[in-house]
Amino acid sequence: MSGLEDRIEGLLREVCEEEDVELPVALEREIVERVAEDEDLKEADEETLRRVLRALVRNYKVRMIEPGDAVGVLAAQSMCEPATQMTMRTFHLAGVAEIDVTTGIPALERVLSLPYQGPPTWVIYLRLKEPYNRDEEKAEAVARKIRETRFEDLVREIEVNPEERVIEATLDREEMERLGVDEDELTEFVREFTGGACQVEGDTLRVVLTDVESISELAELANELREAVVKGIEGVLHASVQYDEEEEEYYILVRGSPDGTSGRPPKWISRRARNSKVAKRAYLMLKLMQLDEVDATRVNTNDPKVIDVLLGIEAGRNAVIEQLEDVYESQGISVDRRHFMLISDMMAFWGELRSVRSMGGYSIMELKGSPLTKAAFEYVSRVLTETATSGDVEELRGILENIIVGRPVPVGTGTVEVTVDYSRFREAEEEEE
Amino acid sequence: MVAEEPHVQDPPKYVRRILFGILPPEKIRKMSKVEVTTPETYDEDGYPIEGGVMDTRMGVIDPGLRCRTCGQPAGKCPGHFGHIELARPVLHPRFAERIKDVLRATCPECGRVRLPEDDIEEYRREVREGIRPVKSIAAEVVERAEDRESCPHCGAEAPKITYQKPTTILMDDERLWPVDVRSWLEKIPDGDVEILGFHPERARPEWAVLTVLPVPPVTMRPSIILETGERAEDDLTHKLVDIVRVNLRLKESLESGAPEPIIEDQWDLLQYHVTTYIDNEIGGVPVARHRTGGKPLKGIVQRLKGKEGRFRQNLAGKRVNFSARSVITPDPELDPFTLGVPKMVAKELTVPERVTEWNLERLRKLVLNGPDKYPGANYVIKRDGSRIRITEENKEQVAENLEPGDIVERHLMDGDPVMFNRQPTLHVQSELGFRTKVMPGKTFRLPAACYMGVGFNADFDGDEMNLHVPQSEEARAEVHELMGAYVYHLWPPKDGHQDVRNSPIHEAIVGLHLLSRAWIPLKEAYQLLEEVKKEGDWFDPSEVELEPEAEYSRDFERKIHRLEFVCGHPSPGEPLVTGRQLLSVFLPEWLDGVKIRNQVCPEDEEHGTVVIKRGRIVRGFLDEKVVHGIMGELVHRYAARKVSKGEGYPWFEAAELALKVMDKVGRLGLRFVTRYGFTLGMDELEEIYRRFREEAEKICRRAIKRARKLIREGERRLREVEEEDVCNRSRVERGEMIERNIESEVMATLDRPRAEVERLLEENRDLFNPAYIMPESGARGSITNIARMALIGGQQAIMGERPHRAKHNTEHIMEKIVNYSYTDRVTPHFEKSLIPGIKEGGFVRHGFFEGLDMVEYFLHAMSGREGLIDKGFRTADSGYLHRRYVTTALDLIVDEDGRVRDSANNIIQLAYGEDRVDPAKKWGDGMDVDRVLDVVKEVVLEEEEEE
Ligand SMILES: [Mg+2]
Ligand SMILES: [Zn+2]
Ligand SMILES: [Zn+2]
């Protein structure tokens, strides 16, 4: 069998050379396999096989994109024209307050514009390792562990007694139970946080702060305490266990704060992110990925820039493709994958994801050299001032620049010249005579 | 006669590149033709004054005058620059901020950037190598240099530079006048200029301090004569007059040695006028206004800016000639690719045709017809370039003198290629190439059988479209070959064959579906074919031989498939043919081995799958999916065959063939429904209503009961949470969560009845009821529409939720809602409740057939309105997205090696789409090896047999 395949592969290579085509690897493989297993061609001689292969190769050839095709415009049009028909649906996930995942144009904007402030609802899909993904209880425990729990979530009331330099809080036993914080844990935390003496009598937690001098300082401390994160990872606003029917496993859906997490992100994150908000979001995701229970290889998020910062440009590129596909699929609109690939390759070209916004931030436009295109896009006077001071040169290589100066555009038939060989005419006429 | 090389016009001047920069004063003086010295514009006779801003050396706009520079009259003279020598220099407002940065970064004594030599050298290297944008290098240099307290080159101390918008610069809290700024900037060596973001040759920073002001040509700021006979000058002229006047006054003050404060005032005024002349929307100074009316004057920046500015309005978009616009109407008799053009348009839009000895007589006849009689001609362009307008008076003489080499601009005629466009032009298919067919009437007529309007997104409720007539042989060829019969317009690049366009739609689909189920008396079958035939058609019904498959008998209808039926009123013994036979007439014989499962009855063993063998539909009922499928098979199999035979580029022919076939097939469908009739009326809905009413009622009652229980339970739980005395974050959240979960459960529960009714309808399909045939065949509408009309409106939703009013207890919006007159109920007719009731929440129990009650009607209208508003926003949003996206991706083009490059020649993809397949031409995901191999084998075996 493999002998036949080798023979066919050899023939195919020869044919490709004759036809001056290079087949994509996958297609070459497929052709070899199909021809080899074809019943009708079992007995075929080399000449017949060669003919069949040549025809196949030529069929590929006529389906190839042609030089000069404006594939960028095709991609843009193919993606934006159906956007007119998109509806904006908001999906509420069962059992979770506050998590809406938008679709339609806002979702498209989220992927293409890479806003610094992140998606309207930033979610992280936290996949778990065995056995946490098998057991709802175990998954729930992980969710509890990471969800940020603030002091105010655990108490009913906070009162400040300025004369005695005391902060008093009424414990909410029910909530403590639900969020899995016990009394000792809480008092220990408060002691460390405030640096004062702390004890519990009945349902009342008393913090005595003899060192604090002014009343305002005390009030401030009480406020800080109110918002202090007792447990979990700061920035994890929500963590709820969901069941994935396809994968037959539990996972944790996390809604992250658009401001990310506290602490200073590692240098490599800050450098890649170039914006502190993005860096802090990436850092939060990194913290989550480093948890022992989490299967870091399958963690995902709806913010492609975070993926780019954390996992590199290839991952970022794939995230853009994947998320674009999701947007269109959820709307029931079919768009060829090649368009998504092109746009994400364009966004990824500069080594970090760049957006299709008009200016600023990670904008692609900012990097394109042509002053005239920029001027015709947005912010005319700013662009002209900047290009004038730096003495830029408009080389007139692009499309819009050439439209502006009134020259034929270098695209499609504009990339080639057609001339007539008049000597042939004369020859023909002479022959006629 | 020996062919001559054609007369080629001198190539127009060619812009190779454009250098941007700041004009140095010497250059401004050099390009100036006149120094403007007086604020006077015209003398008593209305003649432009010498040395004024309208000086005729800067060009003329009045007919009768001649330019004193080039000697040409208005319209020919391109205009020439002048200049104003400023008595004292002023800052260019657009550059002031940059100048401030430069001053902060450099030393006032030696002019060097306040950084060590090594650093400067390093930055210079970066600039020259172009690793990162100059802008960001300059920003870094300024940031670092301004922090230094003294100059590392000469040791001088760094002064404090402050800046007030738009043009005031202070040094150590004292005014730094432009003269001083200029002399400071002059000191900066070229090597340092570079790293400050300026260009040493094209943009020295001191040139941003204006000593000479260029005066734009008169032709660039023409005055207009008002109805009253008064002259109204352009805004720029007004501003220039101001500048000259103040400049003159300043000069006089300087010469007469006026006190410093007065001079400084006048200097500031000069700066103000120059600032607003350039940019009249700049912050920090009052806007300059018209003396009368007070309207803000348009500065130079305002001319360029925005959607109506020079760039977007005149440069990136152009106006065209040889175009027409009119309302469109459909025409089922037109061939696909043919466009009906009104005669009055054809007489106005012309095609230039060069006279040769072979077409001389024909063109002479057209010239003789003149401009009014169709087909005629409007102009003749002689070989020397002179243009003669053809009139009733001169037409004989012009025809007489016509000779080879002239160009005749003749009327648009049948067969001429034209471009047809509908806005918004969102994709390639919005502008198609057509062949002209001149017709009476005033509308453009779009071929309707193979519906050519799909890509345009056009309907005929008053839509207007634009026509463009190409004016050169090259353009005509491109329109014909690339924009017309081309695969792109059957299978748009969006998703290729998955997204078929321009195939029969609507009633044609209904017709084809019914036809494929019909038994037709032989005689009537031939009549149908006769009706499909057009004048001068490639198709001739008399050559068709239909072989009857059965004879009619009394119990015939019992012997055929349950979904088949007999058309007309055949008498016993009359020969019958099937509709499938009739359809097969148009299919080519090589269309073989095609199997497409339909969606109308996919479970049916015999007719759920359409099978085509040797160009005959052996079995199967057609529907939209099958029609699209057949069209796909036609193109791709034809192409594969042609390529396998080594006959070259297949796509034009394949597309043309598919359209030719589908046009006939579509017409047959149309003729069929027209002949035997198809109606969807109240009766059809009533039938469904009567049959399913009880069951639907039951479904509704069940859902309502369940929802009531949910609501009661929800209210109880909400009340519980509410009664708790604390209000911490998690409590509020918990309350919200309960509410949301209950709401979404109620929503889901009440949304179910419609879905259940739909399922009920699906399960009891009656493919003899038109109300089913229409949606099931894919012609139009869906079962949802039928369910809504006949049985149940279902749950209405606003922003994905049941309609509701604000809740009084929802803490975080509490403040906002105190002003509302009522809360906790959808309309004041209901009692207050924590969770809206069922009817109150927009559950529409009735269908349109029965009619909605008032509450239902109101809430139904609410969600209808939401849809309308939503649509409006969507168009605006996606329009902006489109513009941004297209501009960014505009320059991505495939090169000769199949790589994608941008205009800077960066390689964006090494192989387009990784496999270099054009999505418009893909079969399967790229090249469907299985299907192609089938065709290939067929062809190869055929060929071998022949040998
Ligand atoms: Mg319309
Ligand atoms: Zn002139
Ligand atoms: Zn110095």
Side-chain angles (χ1 to χ4, degrees), chain A residues 51 86 175 343 377 391 407, chain B residues 15 730 874 883 885 947:
Chain A
R51 276 183 159 184
M86 282 189 180
E175 282 295 298
I343 202 70
F377 193 18
R407 296 199 320 193
Chain B
V15 185
S730 89
R874 240 173 18 233
R883 195 177 104 75
Y885 192 169
E947 286 159 18

Side-chain angles (χ1 to χ4, degrees), chain A residues 19-255:
Chain A
E19 293 286 324
D20 194 23
V21 189
E22 209 177 305
L23 291 183
V25 183
L27 184 64
E28 190 184 271
R29 208 52 245 142
E30 204 183 341
I31 289 178
V32 170
E33 274 167 23
R34 289 297 140 79
V35 173
E37 69 199 20
D38 196 288
E39 289 297 323
D40 301 333
L41 298 174
K42 275 267 141 60
E43 311 289 308
D45 56 18
E46 192 172 307
E47 185 46 35
T48 312
L49 275 181
R50 199 183 281 273
R51 276 183 159 184
V52 167
L53 291 174
R54 190 178 298 121
L56 282 169
V57 169
R58 284 183 179 163
N59 263 291
Y60 166 70
K61 219 168 143 184
V62 294
R63 286 182 166 77
M64 275 160 65
I65 196 92
E66 278 163 58
D69 270 353
V71 286
V73 177
L74 290 186
Q77 292 181 338
S78 301
M79 286 171 60
C80 294
E81 188 269 340
T84 344
Q85 303 141 35
M86 282 189 180
T87 48
M88 200 190 99
R89 272 175 296 173
T90 312
F91 290 110
H92 310 288
L93 286 149
V96 199
E98 279 189 30
I99 296 194
D100 311 319
V101 182
T102 50
T103 59
I105 295 174
L108 204 54
E109 281 283 355
R110 184 198 78 218
V111 186
L112 297 177
S113 299
L114 309 172
Y116 283 153
Q117 66 277 9
T121 309
W122 181 41
V123 293
I124 300 164
Y125 304 91
L126 220 53
R127 299 285 173 168
L128 303 171
K129 283 182 191 150
E130 296 256 14
Y132 305 96
N133 62 343
R134 298 283 162 228
D135 184 352
E136 191 171 3
E137 286 288 302
K138 283 190 181 131
E140 195 66 59
V142 179
R144 262 203 305 274
K145 191 176 119 186
I146 58 169
R147 184 192 196 279
E148 68 166 39
T149 304
R150 292 172 190 261
F151 185 72
E152 59 178 338
D153 298 336
L154 303 167
V155 299
R156 282 160 186 265
E157 246 175 316
I158 302 174
E159 257 176 57
V160 181
N161 186 336
E163 282 82 50
E164 295 174 37
R165 299 285 192 265
V166 161
I167 301 173
E168 270 183 355
T170 327
L171 296 182
D172 186 337
R173 298 273 179 197
E174 239 175 84
E175 282 295 298
M176 283 171 69
E177 165 95 39
R178 203 175 68 81
L179 298 170
V181 181
D182 65 21
E183 204 181 292
D184 294 342
E185 217 177 315
L186 189 61
T187 45
E188 181 57 39
F189 172 82
V190 174
R191 206 169 288 143
E192 216 163 277
F193 188 83
T194 58
C198 175
Q199 59 192 148
V200 178
E201 289 160 24
D203 273 351
T204 311
L205 180 128
R206 264 173 74 92
V207 195
V208 187
L209 295 149
T210 41
D211 303 348
V212 175
E213 277 166 19
S214 69
I215 298 173
S216 61
E217 207 178 311
L218 186 72
E220 203 175 295
L221 192 62
N223 269 334
E224 277 171 23
L225 180 62
R226 185 191 296 276
E227 283 173 16
V229 175
V230 179
K231 207 183 142 189
I233 297 171
E234 195 183 330
V236 178
L237 300 183
H238 266 279
S240 68
V241 174
Q242 306 279 320
Y243 186 68
D244 183 336
E245 278 171 26
E246 241 169 74
E247 300 284 326
E248 296 181 345
E249 65 165 5
Y250 292 95
Y251 68 96
I252 299 174
L253 185 68
V254 171
R255 183 161 91 91

Side-chain angles (χ1 to χ4, degrees), chain B residues 140 169 181 308 321 598 687 785:
Chain B
E140 200 179 304
I169 292 173
V181 172
E308 263 96 54
N321 290 324
N598 67 21
E687 193 189 310
N785 299 136

Side-chain angles (χ1 to χ4, degrees), chain A residues 65-73 342 345-346 349-350 368 397-399 410-411 415, chain B residues 888-913:
Chain A
I65 196 92
E66 278 163 58
D69 270 353
V71 286
V73 177
L342 184 65
D345 280 336
M346 178 179 80
F349 176 79
W350 285 271
K368 294 223 167 173
R397 284 216 205 91
I399 314 290
V411 56
T415 53
Chain B
T888 336
L890 192 67
D891 59 346
L892 302 190
I893 286 160
V894 179
D895 71 5
E896 290 101 286
D897 300 315
R899 292 179 294 223
V900 181
R901 290 175 183 267
D902 68 8
S903 55
N905 242 0
N906 296 319
I907 297 179
I908 303 295
Q909 281 185 332
L910 284 165
Y912 172 72

